[in-house]
Amino acid sequence: VELSGSRRLCIRHKTGKVSCGRIGSTRVEPVAGIDDAIAVAAGERAACAIRADRSVWCWGPADSTILGTGAPPAGAPTTLPPTKIASLSDVATVALGDDMSGAGLACALKLDGTIWCWGKNDREHLGTAVPAHTLSPFRLAGIDDAVQLSLGWLHGCAVRKTGALACWGSTEHGQSGTIATDNISTPQRVRWTTP
C-alpha cells in the first residue's frame, strides 16, 4: 500500500509488514520485527517505519546517524535491526535525508504539528546553528502547525496549516527557496515570485 525510497526501496504491505530491497536487485526481504507499520520512509541506506502506536523505528547501517545510536564499537554488528527512536511518540509522518556516506538526517512530524529532527547537522540541516550531529530528536524551532514534511540530503521543508512553505538547511543550489548564501539555521518562509 506504500512505496518509499530511491536506490533503496521499502514497501509497506496492507498487513503492516515491511519489505526492503535495492533497485536492480530481485531480492526484497521482510524487515524482522515490524508487523504493524502505518507508514514507511526509506533513504539511501537507512529506513524508518511508524508503528501502530505512533512510535518510530529505524534500521540500517550501524554508523548511520539516523539510527540514533552513534558509531558502533569494534566488533559490533554493521547493520542494526529496527530500533525504537527514544522520546518520539504521536508521530504522523517521518522523512529521511540520508546519503551513501552513512550520515543522514531524519525528521518526524507529530500529530500536534511540531517537527522533531535528529542526525547530521554540518550544514544546519536540522534547523539549528549547533554544528554537531545529534542522536536524540529535538523540536525544530518556529514551526508548530506543520501538515506536511519533506527532506533532501542538505535541507528540509514543511507545509504549514496556512499553506505557507518553510524551509531550512543548505542554500547551495537554491533548494531552500532563497537566494541567501548562508545556510538557514531556522525555518524561513519561502516567498513566491512570478517571472
mmCIF file with all atom_site columns, all heavy atoms in Angstrom, residues 97-108:
data_model
loop_
_atom_site.group_PDB
_atom_site.id
_atom_site.type_symbol
_atom_site.label_atom_id
_atom_site.label_alt_id
_atom_site.label_comp_id
_atom_site.label_asym_id
_atom_site.label_entity_id
_atom_site.label_seq_id
_atom_site.pdbx_PDB_ins_code
_atom_site.Cartn_x
_atom_site.Cartn_y
_atom_site.Cartn_z
_atom_site.occupancy
_atom_site.B_iso_or_equiv
_atom_site.pdbx_formal_charge
_atom_site.auth_seq_id
_atom_site.auth_comp_id
_atom_site.auth_asym_id
_atom_site.auth_atom_id
_atom_site.pdbx_PDB_model_num
ATOM 1  N N   . GLY A 1 97  ? 16.652 12.053 5.007  1.00 0.00 ? 97  GLY A N   1
ATOM 2  C CA  . GLY A 1 97  ? 17.526 12.725 4.058  1.00 0.00 ? 97  GLY A CA  1
ATOM 3  C C   . GLY A 1 97  ? 18.928 12.193 4.244  1.00 0.00 ? 97  GLY A C   1
ATOM 4  O O   . GLY A 1 97  ? 19.795 12.918 4.691  1.00 0.00 ? 97  GLY A O   1
ATOM 5  N N   . ASP A 1 98  ? 19.145 10.917 3.931  1.00 0.00 ? 98  ASP A N   1
ATOM 6  C CA  . ASP A 1 98  ? 20.477 10.351 4.123  1.00 0.00 ? 98  ASP A CA  1
ATOM 7  C C   . ASP A 1 98  ? 21.179 10.189 2.777  1.00 0.00 ? 98  ASP A C   1
ATOM 8  O O   . ASP A 1 98  ? 20.586 10.325 1.724  1.00 0.00 ? 98  ASP A O   1
ATOM 9  C CB  . ASP A 1 98  ? 20.437 9.035  4.903  1.00 0.00 ? 98  ASP A CB  1
ATOM 10 C CG  . ASP A 1 98  ? 19.863 7.868  4.129  1.00 0.00 ? 98  ASP A CG  1
ATOM 11 O OD1 . ASP A 1 98  ? 19.108 8.096  3.173  1.00 0.00 ? 98  ASP A OD1 1
ATOM 12 O OD2 . ASP A 1 98  ? 20.158 6.723  4.493  1.00 0.00 ? 98  ASP A OD2 1
ATOM 13 N N   . ASP A 1 99  ? 22.477 9.938  2.840  1.00 0.00 ? 99  ASP A N   1
ATOM 14 C CA  . ASP A 1 99  ? 23.256 9.738  1.629  1.00 0.00 ? 99  ASP A CA  1
ATOM 15 C C   . ASP A 1 99  ? 24.135 8.513  1.802  1.00 0.00 ? 99  ASP A C   1
ATOM 16 O O   . ASP A 1 99  ? 24.129 7.864  2.836  1.00 0.00 ? 99  ASP A O   1
ATOM 17 C CB  . ASP A 1 99  ? 24.078 10.985 1.286  1.00 0.00 ? 99  ASP A CB  1
ATOM 18 C CG  . ASP A 1 99  ? 25.037 11.386 2.385  1.00 0.00 ? 99  ASP A CG  1
ATOM 19 O OD1 . ASP A 1 99  ? 25.512 10.517 3.132  1.00 0.00 ? 99  ASP A OD1 1
ATOM 20 O OD2 . ASP A 1 99  ? 25.339 12.585 2.488  1.00 0.00 ? 99  ASP A OD2 1
ATOM 21 N N   . MET A 1 100 ? 24.895 8.179  0.796  1.00 0.00 ? 100 MET A N   1
ATOM 22 C CA  . MET A 1 100 ? 25.693 6.955  0.803  1.00 0.00 ? 100 MET A CA  1
ATOM 23 C C   . MET A 1 100 ? 26.866 7.010  1.782  1.00 0.00 ? 100 MET A C   1
ATOM 24 O O   . MET A 1 100 ? 27.489 6.004  2.058  1.00 0.00 ? 100 MET A O   1
ATOM 25 C CB  . MET A 1 100 ? 26.202 6.646  -0.605 1.00 0.00 ? 100 MET A CB  1
ATOM 26 C CG  . MET A 1 100 ? 25.084 6.315  -1.579 1.00 0.00 ? 100 MET A CG  1
ATOM 27 S SD  . MET A 1 100 ? 23.989 5.000  -1.016 1.00 0.00 ? 100 MET A SD  1
ATOM 28 C CE  . MET A 1 100 ? 25.070 3.591  -1.129 1.00 0.00 ? 100 MET A CE  1
ATOM 29 N N   . SER A 1 101 ? 27.164 8.179  2.339  1.00 0.00 ? 101 SER A N   1
ATOM 30 C CA  . SER A 1 101 ? 28.294 8.301  3.264  1.00 0.00 ? 101 SER A CA  1
ATOM 31 C C   . SER A 1 101 ? 28.006 7.673  4.619  1.00 0.00 ? 101 SER A C   1
ATOM 32 O O   . SER A 1 101 ? 28.910 7.442  5.401  1.00 0.00 ? 101 SER A O   1
ATOM 33 C CB  . SER A 1 101 ? 28.655 9.776  3.475  1.00 0.00 ? 101 SER A CB  1
ATOM 34 O OG  . SER A 1 101 ? 27.671 10.405 4.277  1.00 0.00 ? 101 SER A OG  1
ATOM 35 N N   . GLY A 1 102 ? 26.744 7.440  4.916  1.00 0.00 ? 102 GLY A N   1
ATOM 36 C CA  . GLY A 1 102 ? 26.387 6.890  6.222  1.00 0.00 ? 102 GLY A CA  1
ATOM 37 C C   . GLY A 1 102 ? 25.805 7.934  7.143  1.00 0.00 ? 102 GLY A C   1
ATOM 38 O O   . GLY A 1 102 ? 25.118 7.622  8.089  1.00 0.00 ? 102 GLY A O   1
ATOM 39 N N   . ALA A 1 103 ? 26.104 9.203  6.851  1.00 0.00 ? 103 ALA A N   1
ATOM 40 C CA  . ALA A 1 103 ? 25.488 10.268 7.640  1.00 0.00 ? 103 ALA A CA  1
ATOM 41 C C   . ALA A 1 103 ? 24.074 10.462 7.125  1.00 0.00 ? 103 ALA A C   1
ATOM 42 O O   . ALA A 1 103 ? 23.700 9.974  6.069  1.00 0.00 ? 103 ALA A O   1
ATOM 43 C CB  . ALA A 1 103 ? 26.291 11.545 7.520  1.00 0.00 ? 103 ALA A CB  1
ATOM 44 N N   . GLY A 1 104 ? 23.287 11.177 7.854  1.00 0.00 ? 104 GLY A N   1
ATOM 45 C CA  . GLY A 1 104 ? 21.940 11.444 7.408  1.00 0.00 ? 104 GLY A CA  1
ATOM 46 C C   . GLY A 1 104 ? 21.170 12.239 8.428  1.00 0.00 ? 104 GLY A C   1
ATOM 47 O O   . GLY A 1 104 ? 21.651 12.485 9.533  1.00 0.00 ? 104 GLY A O   1
ATOM 48 N N   . LEU A 1 105 ? 20.005 12.679 8.013  1.00 0.00 ? 105 LEU A N   1
ATOM 49 C CA  . LEU A 1 105 ? 19.130 13.373 8.934  1.00 0.00 ? 105 LEU A CA  1
ATOM 50 C C   . LEU A 1 105 ? 17.742 12.784 8.801  1.00 0.00 ? 105 LEU A C   1
ATOM 51 O O   . LEU A 1 105 ? 17.393 12.201 7.773  1.00 0.00 ? 105 LEU A O   1
ATOM 52 C CB  . LEU A 1 105 ? 19.109 14.876 8.657  1.00 0.00 ? 105 LEU A CB  1
ATOM 53 C CG  . LEU A 1 105 ? 18.431 15.351 7.386  1.00 0.00 ? 105 LEU A CG  1
ATOM 54 C CD1 . LEU A 1 105 ? 17.835 16.730 7.620  1.00 0.00 ? 105 LEU A CD1 1
ATOM 55 C CD2 . LEU A 1 105 ? 19.417 15.428 6.235  1.00 0.00 ? 105 LEU A CD2 1
ATOM 56 N N   . ALA A 1 106 ? 16.991 12.913 9.848  1.00 0.00 ? 106 ALA A N   1
ATOM 57 C CA  . ALA A 1 106 ? 15.606 12.457 9.860  1.00 0.00 ? 106 ALA A CA  1
ATOM 58 C C   . ALA A 1 106 ? 14.784 13.471 10.637 1.00 0.00 ? 106 ALA A C   1
ATOM 59 O O   . ALA A 1 106 ? 15.282 14.114 11.556 1.00 0.00 ? 106 ALA A O   1
ATOM 60 C CB  . ALA A 1 106 ? 15.506 11.081 10.518 1.00 0.00 ? 106 ALA A CB  1
ATOM 61 N N   . CYS A 1 107 ? 13.545 13.623 10.224 1.00 0.00 ? 107 CYS A N   1
ATOM 62 C CA  . CYS A 1 107 ? 12.612 14.473 10.957 1.00 0.00 ? 107 CYS A CA  1
ATOM 63 C C   . CYS A 1 107 ? 11.275 13.756 11.036 1.00 0.00 ? 107 CYS A C   1
ATOM 64 O O   . CYS A 1 107 ? 10.894 13.024 10.120 1.00 0.00 ? 107 CYS A O   1
ATOM 65 C CB  . CYS A 1 107 ? 12.420 15.819 10.274 1.00 0.00 ? 107 CYS A CB  1
ATOM 66 S SG  . CYS A 1 107 ? 13.851 16.917 10.313 1.00 0.00 ? 107 CYS A SG  1
ATOM 67 N N   . ALA A 1 108 ? 10.591 13.974 12.130 1.00 0.00 ? 108 ALA A N   1
ATOM 68 C CA  . ALA A 1 108 ? 9.264  13.401 12.337 1.00 0.00 ? 108 ALA A CA  1
ATOM 69 C C   . ALA A 1 108 ? 8.275  14.534 12.559 1.00 0.00 ? 108 ALA A C   1
ATOM 70 O O   . ALA A 1 108 ? 8.539  15.461 13.324 1.00 0.00 ? 108 ALA A O   1
ATOM 71 C CB  . ALA A 1 108 ? 9.277  12.479 13.549 1.00 0.00 ? 108 ALA A CB  1
#
